[in-house]
Amino acid sequence: MRIRTIRSDRRTVSIEVRSGDEVVVRCPRRMTEVALKAILKEKEAWIQTKTAEMCARQSHLLLPEPGEVVLFGQCRRLVLSETARPAVVEGQLVAPRAYSAERLDRYFRSLLERYISKEIPLAKADLHALVPERTAWPSGAFRLRKMKRRWGSCSANGDLLFNAQLVQASPESIRYVVRHELAHWVHFDHSKDFRALEKRLVGGSDRLAAAKADLARISLNGQASSEIDDLL
């Protein structure tokens, strides 16, 4: 955390958290370093709380409350500490104090990348079992991107693209989005044949409905994503 001190002819001390990794302190010109450090020590808990809130607010994820993040369907309070790497501790997401909002975003993306990387081979195997006559399949390579109106997409060549905000969704919903897009490897449309394959690939009507309902609760680009079929 960077602490920038601005001295002037003022008589009071003010502390401002400007970003996830910068704190600006304004103080009287003649205040000693010892006195200033004592004030910062006294306000340490407050600074940590405000820094966490600022860091979370600047993240691309849409948050239910300041200082909270939603990861894989669960809301967790973000706490910044001297830890070396992020970890979930007693239900809270504890991240290094030095993390900026941008670096926190990269951490979220890495979590989602790992999850999707594990899900695609499983979905691909299930798809092959459902369509055994098909012998050649796309590689399953994918990219993450911030998307304003879609959870995922599949190109005519089978290239996959997923919304980075999916890290907020439950594992079951992420699984559904991945399998929905892989179903386009067989049917590049939303026809009856596609819907039938999608339902079998996801695991039935109940799992399909539950995943859609979960995604509908997440705001996409600040708007409720009620029409899920239009976002895939």
Side-chain angles (χ1 to χ4, degrees), residues 103-144:
R103 190 169 181 185
L104 193 62
D105 268 359
R106 290 201 301 269
Y107 168 68
F108 294 149
R109 290 170 74 98
S110 70
L111 294 179
L112 183 58
E113 284 174 349
R114 289 201 297 269
Y115 188 89
I116 293 178
S117 294
K118 293 179 180 179
E119 178 56 34
I120 286 179
L122 299 176
K124 194 173 179 179
D126 289 345
L127 185 60
H128 179 65
L130 292 172
V131 191
E133 65 275 14
R134 177 84 173 264
T135 57
W137 298 97
S139 66
F142 70 93
R143 293 183 296 118
L144 297 181

Side-chain angles (χ1 to χ4, degrees), residues 4-62:
R4 185 157 62 94
T5 304
I6 300 176
R7 296 179 179 272
S8 67
D9 294 331
R10 64 183 297 141
R11 296 183 179 182
T12 59
V13 176
S14 72
I15 302 175
E16 178 186 4
V17 178
R18 283 194 171 179
S19 68
D21 60 355
E22 183 182 33
V23 175
V24 177
V25 181
R26 293 179 171 83
C27 66
R29 197 181 307 279
R30 295 185 178 181
M31 175 171 281
T32 65
E33 288 296 324
V34 173
L36 184 57
K37 288 181 179 179
I39 292 176
L40 291 174
K41 182 67 175 177
E42 179 184 347
K43 297 292 185 178
E44 184 176 4
W46 180 86
I47 292 174
Q48 179 176 336
T49 298
K50 292 299 179 182
T51 301
E53 291 180 1
M54 180 68 73
C55 189
R57 193 180 304 122
Q58 291 176 343
S59 167
H60 80 273
L61 297 180
L62 301 173

